[in-house]
Amino acid sequence: MIVAKQTNYLTTLAAMLNAMSSLPFWEGHIVDSVVEQDDESLLIVLDTCPTADALCGSCRQPCALVHERRWRRIRDRDILDRRVWLKVPIRRLDCHHCDARVTEHISWLDRRSRMTHRVRIWVEALAQLLPIKHVSQLTGLHWHTIKAIDLQRLAVCRTIV
C-alpha cells in the first residue's frame, strides 16, 4: 500500500514537473531529471536550454565563449510537501563585448546566490506574517538567512517611502 502511494506520488510529481518545464520558472534552463533524495527532498537537475543564449553577467550581452561550467545546488520553493533543490549548471563566460570573464546572468537567480527569487519572495511574505523562528521551521532555512532577507526587504521599503 505504501509503495503504491509512493509510486503514485512520484508519477504525479513527474507529470507536474514535465508541465512546469515549459513555464518560465527557470528561464534559459530545461528539466533534465528529478531525483528523490534520502531526506525525501527533491533534486531537480536542470540543463541549459540549447536555444537560449548565455548573457554576460557584466554587460548582459549574449556571449558564446564559455570558459568553464560548474554545478551549483540552489534552493527553490517547496513543491507540495517536499523541499526542492536545483542542480544548475553555472557558466563562466569570456565576453567579447566588455572583455570580462564573469559568471553568466541568470534572470531568476541573484549573483552568487544559493536560492531562487521565488524562495526569497516566499520568505519575505512569510516574514511579514510570522515570527522569524516559525518561518525558519516552515522553510528549513537558517534564522540568519531569513533575517537578512527581511532586512533587505525593509531597506527597499524604506528607500521607496
Side-chain angles (χ1 to χ4, degrees):
M1 181 71 174
I2 294 174
V3 173
K5 277 187 173 181
Q6 187 78 2
T7 305
N8 189 22
Y9 177 81
L10 290 175
T11 304
T12 303
L13 189 61
M16 185 172 77
L17 287 171
N18 190 26
M20 285 173 38
S21 66
S22 64
L23 296 175
F25 292 139
W26 309 300
E27 181 183 353
H29 294 79
I30 55 173
V31 177
D32 187 38
S33 64
V34 179
V35 180
E36 186 174 10
Q37 302 293 302
D38 292 335
D39 62 352
E40 295 187 0
S41 65
L42 294 175
L43 178 65
I44 301 174
V45 180
L46 300 179
D47 200 1
T48 54
C49 183
T51 60
D53 290 330
L55 299 179
C56 173
S58 180
C59 67
R60 305 286 195 269
Q61 295 295 320
C63 203
L65 299 172
V66 177
H67 176 69
E68 84 178 314
R69 179 177 157 156
R70 293 190 177 198
W71 291 93
R72 186 182 295 173
R73 250 177 87 108
I74 298 169
R75 175 68 194 277
D76 199 12
R77 188 165 175 184
D78 297 351
I79 296 178
L80 301 174
D81 63 341
R82 303 288 176 112
R83 300 255 187 265
V84 175
W85 292 92
L86 303 175
K87 186 175 177 183
V88 181
I90 305 291
R91 298 174 287 191
R92 285 184 59 209
L93 308 171
D94 287 328
C95 182
H96 62 278
H97 297 286
C98 63
D99 292 327
R101 180 175 288 166
V102 293
T103 305
E104 71 176 309
H105 170 72
I106 299 175
S107 62
W108 44 269
L109 187 64
D110 288 330
R111 188 175 177 157
R112 297 187 182 111
S113 181
R114 298 286 195 254
M115 71 176 66
T116 64
H117 290 166
R118 291 174 2 123
V119 173
R120 185 179 42 81
I121 291 167
W122 181 42
V123 169
E124 287 175 356
L126 289 173
Q128 293 179 47
L129 301 172
L130 300 170
I132 291 177
K133 181 179 179 182
H134 294 168
V135 177
S136 176
Q137 291 171 346
L138 182 65
T139 61
L141 297 173
H142 194 273
W143 185 90
H144 290 286
T145 304
I146 294 166
K147 187 69 173 174
I149 291 170
D150 196 38
L151 287 174
Q152 288 174 352
R153 179 189 63 84
L154 291 173
V156 169
C157 289
R158 185 175 170 195
T159 58
I160 292 173
V161 174

